Amino acid sequence: QVRMVESGGGLVQAGGSLRLSCAASGRTFSSNSMGWFRQAPGKEREFVAAMNRIGSSTYYADSAKGRFTISRDNAKNTLYLQMNSLKPEDTAVYYCNAVRQVGTNYVPSFSSWGQGTQVTVSS
C-alpha cells in the first residue's frame, strides 16, 4: 500500500495559484495511477484529477479542466497538482490516493488516506 503526505495548501485570493505536492512512501507508487480528490465542508469527497503510471495520460473533473494540471515524478515518488485561476468553490481539503477507473469514473484504490492539505480561496 502507498502512504501519502500532502502539502502545499494555504490561503489564496480568487484568481491566485497554488501547487500541491503528495509525497508517497512504499514501493508501489510508480506502479499505480495516482489522483487528487477534495472534500469541502459538508460535502462528500470528490475526484479532481488523475494521471496514469507513466504520466502519459491525464484525466480531470469538469471543475478542474483548463485550470488544474496534474503531474508526477516517479523518481521522487511525488505527485503534484498545479492549481491556477482558483475560485472560492475550490476551497476544500485536498488528498491524493492511488486511483482505478470504474466505468467513466475514477475512484480511490486504497481505503486509507493522508491528512490532506487545506486550500482556502477567498473572494
Side-chain angles (χ1 to χ4, degrees):
Q1 186 160 344
V2 179
R3 297 177 295 277
M4 287 75 67
V5 177
E6 301 88 351
S7 63
L11 173 63
V12 64
Q13 289 187 334
S17 299
L18 284 173
R19 189 193 194 204
L20 307 184
S21 297
C22 169
S25 61
R27 293 178 289 179
T28 59
F29 177 85
S30 61
S31 63
N32 280 280
S33 294
M34 296 293 298
W36 287 96
F37 297 81
R38 67 186 183 185
Q39 186 167 21
K43 295 186 177 181
E44 293 187 353
R45 192 171 293 167
E46 64 177 6
F47 168 76
V48 176
M51 174 171 270
N52 67 349
R53 296 180 294 113
I54 60 174
S56 61
S57 295
T58 56
Y59 317 89
Y60 296 94
D62 288 344
S63 59
K65 288 179 181 176
R67 299 188 300 125
F68 294 1
T69 302
I70 188 171
S71 61
R72 66 190 295 165
D73 185 336
N74 285 345
K76 296 182 178 179
N77 280 4
T78 303
L79 183 73
Y80 303 99
L81 185 68
Q82 177 67 44
M83 304 188 296
N84 298 328
S85 302
L86 282 162
K87 304 175 181 180
E89 51 263 44
D90 294 318
T91 295
V93 179
Y94 284 71
Y95 303 87
C96 64
N97 203 326
V99 298
R100 57 189 176 90
Q101 188 173 0
V102 178
T104 58
N105 297 317
Y106 290 88
V107 299
S109 295
F110 302 129
S111 58
S112 61
W113 296 85
Q115 84 289 348
T117 186
Q118 175 70 50
V119 171
T120 303
V121 185
S122 63
S123 57

